[in-house]
Amino acid sequence: MKLLAAFLLACATLSAQVQGHLRFEAPGHAPIILDLVDGGHPALLAIPHQRGVADGEAVRLFVLTHTGPEGQVLPPSVEAKPVKAPAPPAWKVDHNGTRALVKTSYATFWRYTPGLVVPVRFKLGKDEWRLIAADLPPKMLVSFGD
């Protein structure tokens, strides 16, 4: 039964309509475009697995595990400082979201909608990945049950 459910979820993911994207780049690497698809609820989005894309799955997993409600992603124990520069205009959100950035010791985050953050600059191994372009609905990103 679990196999059938996983198969149906995979088929739904493949046929899901893309609602937005996040484009990340790192020096010496091909760009990674994470498509954002229906997450099973009107307020949720998911990112399909990045099979066959070098570093794609690692970037996807980092983004998923470091995105969500600001209080959970950046709890009081994490020192987060506001960045004076606003988010670049190439990062679009479907409403009047904030342009605020917050920096921690391990990543820089964008408050793309009130209460939700997404990482926009982070290191994986020796490589620093940066968000170059975003078309992001004001929804929360969730995992397909990785």
Side-chain angles (χ1 to χ4, degrees):
M1 194 57 128
K2 282 187 177 183
L3 184 58
L4 177 60
F7 175 75
L8 291 174
L9 183 59
C11 289
T13 302
L14 293 174
S15 65
Q17 181 179 358
V18 175
Q19 297 183 28
H21 71 274
L22 300 171
R23 178 187 173 110
F24 287 92
E25 293 183 3
H29 294 270
I32 293 175
I33 298 174
L34 301 175
D35 289 331
L36 307 175
V37 299
D38 178 27
H41 183 277
L44 304 176
L45 292 171
I47 304 172
H49 290 278
Q50 301 295 298
R51 291 174 180 33
V53 179
D55 301 308
E57 191 63 9
V59 169
R60 173 188 169 272
L61 289 173
F62 187 92
V63 169
L64 282 173
T65 57
H66 293 87
T67 297
E70 187 170 356
Q72 290 177 354
V73 176
L74 304 174
S77 61
V78 173
E79 186 177 340
K81 298 178 182 178
V83 176
K84 290 185 181 186
W91 302 354
K92 297 178 177 84
V93 67
D94 286 8
H95 72 301
N96 295 330
T98 177
R99 307 298 306 158
L101 298 174
V102 179
K103 186 173 181 151
T104 68
S105 61
Y106 60 92
T108 301
F109 295 85
W110 173 30
R111 288 180 179 137
Y112 66 95
T113 194
L116 297 176
V117 296
V118 62
V120 296
R121 177 176 265 172
F122 54 89
K123 284 189 107 174
L124 287 176
K126 297 177 186 175
D127 301 312
E128 182 177 80
W129 290 91
R130 295 181 307 125
L131 181 67
I132 301 302
D135 182 8
L136 185 60
K139 299 179 180 184
M140 190 165 83
L141 296 176
V142 295
S143 172
F144 277 132
D146 298 286

